Amino acid sequence: MTRLELGIPRIRRDPAAQPPADGRPDVPGLVDRFGRVARDLRVSVTEKCSLRCTYCMPAEGLPALARDDLLTAVEIARLVGVAVRDLGVTDIRFTGGEPLMRSDLAEIVELSAAVAAGASISMTTNGIGLDKRIGELVAAGLTRINISLDTVDRDHFARLTRRDRLPAVFAGIEAAKRAGITPLKINAVLMRDTLAGAADLLEWSLDNGCRLRFIEQMPLDADASWARDNMVDASELLEVLGERFTLTQPHRDDPSAPAEEWLVDGGPATVGIIASVTRSFCEACDRTRITAEGTVRSCLFGDDETDLRGLLRSGADDLAIATRWRAAMWGKQAGHGMSLPDFQRPLRSMGAIGG
Ligand code: SAM
Ligand code: SF4
């Protein structure tokens, strides 16, 4: 098997093999060579998932990680603490795989919230099982949730996710709303199969008080079947939505916000469209990522990862962890490079990185 089939990125474990931090200014934040500052941390807590979305996971799921390879709740909270206290991170989002697959998720949230004063703590989830867990998660300190839902058509959902679980997602959405998570945000990946149902999804979201945003599909599917020529882009979506709704663009005051908001039928309701492929926002990217095995991933499309788990387990202090994290981010690449002739898709798929 090749590295690509196994999805193994290059991981820098040896401190001597860190990217050179030459020219890095002596500032606490996660700055990079292109003038960006990362303040938004995505933490993947597992590679496991209850769905098998075709744009993300292989049909058989990702190879299971050894239990020892996963960061523990205490280790995750330690990294969150370093990120917020020492590195200027202001937003923490738990993701995966499917974060609800971790039975200790509430503990992860609670321990993290305790060391992340002033930061927002949120989660991206497929919503399955959320109805049973929402109480403990909110009590632990979770304040915002994004739920991924690509279609409200049960057959389409089953085909796209390879699981007939749409009613379970609806139950999760209802429960989150009842728990006071409003407005609930819905993420939908644009796929050719579900494009015709995009207006139904928007109508459903408006009727159910959810804020919907569509995201262009990126070449991060485990099956490597993404093709630029067949990808549904934002302009195609606007055409389809335009047949049922009048969309107008309000003034955009936050250029780093990836979603382009459109007013629906004059507002106040909006729909977001993230043209991550056709209108890249890499120059304003403010993300840093920790994978489930405790490596820093500076870019979704950058396979160079820097190990923090080894440092944590060797008894390193917070300063050493912060220093290695800063060096990893200083080496962040300029952008995804999807339009370059020599573009190579990353070795890991979205579910293995943490979207
Ligand atoms: N399981 C959770 C979920 O689905 O919300 C969290 C992990 S999932 C990898 C995070 C987000 O990445 C989801 O909103 C999903 O739709 C999105 N995603 C996955 N694969 C993608 C791709 N190839 N292109 C764009 N977005 C993708
Ligand atoms: Fe699972 Fe989320 Fe990937 Fe779908 S997008 S397979 S729900 S991790």
Side-chain angles (χ1 to χ4, degrees), residues 33-48:
R33 288 168 213 278
F34 303 96
R36 299 166 296 191
V37 187
R39 296 196 178 86
D40 182 344
L41 168 61
R42 304 274 151 124
V43 184
S44 173
V45 295
T46 180
E47 82 296 356
K48 293 194 168 54

Side-chain angles (χ1 to χ4, degrees), residues 42 48-51 53-57 94-99 123-127 146-150 187-191 215-221 226 276 349-355:
R42 304 274 151 124
K48 293 194 168 54
C49 190
S50 42
L51 297 179
C53 305
T54 52
Y55 49 72
C56 177
M57 289 258 175
F94 295 112
T95 179
E98 174 46 50
M123 164 171 83
T124 300
T125 173
N126 63 29
N146 283 23
I147 296 190
S148 304
L149 175 64
D150 307 309
N187 291 348
V189 177
L190 273 173
M191 298 291 285
I215 303 166
E216 283 178 350
Q217 188 201 357
M218 294 183 276
L220 292 166
D221 53 315
W226 181 93
S276 31
S349 59
M350 188 66 129
I353 301 167

Side-chain angles (χ1 to χ4, degrees), residues 40 46 52 61 73 195 200 202 218 242 277 307 330 336 343 355:
D40 182 344
T46 180
R52 297 285 184 272
L195 182 61
D200 289 343
L202 176 53
M218 294 183 276
V277 176
D307 177 51
W330 180 244
H336 55 51
F343 170 71

